[in-house]
Amino acid sequence: MSETSTAAANIGVVGLAVMGSNLARNLASREGNTVAVFNRSYERTETLVSEHPEANFIPASTYEEFAASLTAPRTAIIMVQAGRGTDAVIDALTAVFEPGDIIVDGGNALFTDTIRREKAVRETGINFVGAGISGGEEGALLGPSIMPGGSVEAWATLGPILRSIAAVVDGEPCVTHVGTDGAGHFVKMIHNGIEYADMQLIAEAYDLLRKGAGYSPAEIASIFSEWNTGELESYLIEITAEVLKQVDAVTGGPLVDVILDEAGSKGTGVWTVQTALDLGIPVSGIAEAVFARALSSKPAQRAAASALPGPSEAFSIGDRAAFVEDVRQALYASKIIAYSQGFDAIVAGAEQYGWNIQKGEIAKIWRGGCIIRAQFLNRITEAYAENPGLVALVTAPYFTDAVATAQDSWRRVVSGSALSGIPTPAFSSSLAYYDGLRAERLPAALVQGQRDFFGAHTYKRVDLEGTFHTLWSGDRTEIESAGSSH
């Protein structure tokens, strides 16, 4: 479509790298949408428009032209790298937009930045929405899972547009209004944290099958393909099988064997762990996945430690098929824990920041479009539908039964991996969390005694009301304390 000064676009996209271009194409392909497109480099805008003459695009070379091409209330989705670039685009748009218009940040912004930006933009009368968009390049083009925050007013305009481009599962678009200000980016951050855990757990399962049972990558690909027909059915299991069956064109061997074993990250997993620490929520499965990537990326340390002593015996496996089933069960149980911890963080974040997040709706919109899409998410939706006040996902009847079925396998895998020296940090920490959660009494009582000894931090008793301190440096009598010393 040729450039025009007449307002005709109902939605605009700023930032036309791969994600932005694909999202713009997705928007333009839906009936009723005309899309204004803008990029700092106009050459990229021209390329997108020329390569897709079928799309209802209105190109703009300046922010003024971009704003003029949008119908009221103007609505623009920013798809640029998180950070100062996002702030620069927001400033440019607020200069040409008017009260009631809507600016949407579709990048992976830190949710506290979104809270800050929403507050600042709101003072101009313009709506600001932080929207988590999951699904990668393919999802952006064909239908992502979308997690928008922002005001109810903005959602009234934005909702129909986002529903038109989102992935659809069982007739329902994978998008919901998550909550105000930073809620959307917060939930997207937790999604990515769960993704880290899911990927690490799958990688550990692969490592166990290969080092423990001696299966080849091609054989493990077949095992994963089989798992993908059952309760583990998911996008990540599906693509894992594809990666493992891939043959390297240079060596003729498995591609996985020539990929450097140093995993990177873009920060959202780290943000999840940091935020969970601030909220006081244990997300040990996610944390160990982040730490595992960090450890993999320390080649000098790993080389120096390669001569350190390990176990004298390898895994002893009599029945390979039984071992495969043990690993499958351990993977499923650990996956349940990762999601349970992730939803604990969502609950705590909602309470801390005053968001009314519907947990079942979050699980529902993760069923399609996003990286962690899985059959398993239907069970989470059902669990919260049956009990919206569920204190921990793992305590829902379905998941309690699933872990009960899996736990013998889980324990055999974790103990066997420890004895044979195969690192399974996510499997192991998930089991330790489960055992800690169900323990009638924890050694935290001793920790409280230690804290009181060295810092007079006080403690409470199981049999009396109040707060107490023992005079450790005196006659060791116990006194009632008015409060804690920090």
Side-chain angles (χ1 to χ4, degrees), residues 111 186-187 189-191 193-194 271-277 279-283 286 337-353 355 357 359 366 384 391-393 433:
F111 76 96
F186 179 87
V187 167
M189 177 189 71
I190 300 299
H191 163 284
I194 293 171
W271 292 346
T272 301
V273 177
Q274 290 172 332
T275 302
L277 286 170
L279 294 170
I281 301 299
V283 291
I286 297 170
I337 295 301
Y339 279 75
S340 187
Q341 292 178 344
F343 275 90
D344 284 348
I346 289 174
V347 170
E351 184 176 331
Q352 175 72 23
Y353 294 99
W355 299 320
I357 298 177
K359 299 175 289 295
W366 286 351
Y384 283 116
V391 293
L393 184 62
Y433 169 85

Side-chain angles (χ1 to χ4, degrees), residues 79-229:
M79 297 297 290
V80 300
Q81 190 170 359
R84 285 180 294 182
T86 300
D87 285 316
V89 175
I90 292 169
D91 289 343
L93 287 174
T94 53
V96 295
F97 274 21
E98 298 175 346
D101 291 346
I102 304 165
I103 298 172
V104 182
D105 177 11
N108 267 338
L110 180 60
F111 76 96
T112 49
D113 286 341
T114 303
I115 292 173
R116 167 181 60 79
R117 289 165 177 152
E118 193 277 337
K119 183 178 180 182
V121 173
R122 191 194 325 141
E123 292 177 359
T124 70
I126 296 170
N127 290 292
F128 183 79
V129 175
I133 300 177
S134 179
E137 298 171 11
E138 181 180 295
L141 180 62
L142 302 178
S145 173
I146 312 175
M147 296 148 261
S151 67
V152 174
E153 178 190 7
W155 174 243
T157 297
L158 196 59
I161 297 171
L162 297 183
R163 280 193 286 266
S164 77
I165 63 166
V168 177
V169 175
D170 295 337
E172 297 180 284
C174 293
V175 57
T176 189
H177 183 214
V178 176
T180 55
D181 54 58
H185 276 144
F186 179 87
V187 167
K188 174 58 163 57
M189 177 189 71
I190 300 299
H191 163 284
N192 285 23
I194 293 171
E195 180 185 308
Y196 272 62
D198 220 341
M199 293 171 71
Q200 176 64 24
L201 290 167
I202 292 169
E204 290 179 15
Y206 153 77
D207 211 27
L208 285 162
L209 293 173
R210 190 158 191 193
K211 293 177 181 173
Y215 285 104
S216 69
E219 290 171 325
I220 300 172
S222 296
I223 291 169
F224 275 83
S225 293
E226 176 62 29
W227 288 357
N228 200 45
T229 63

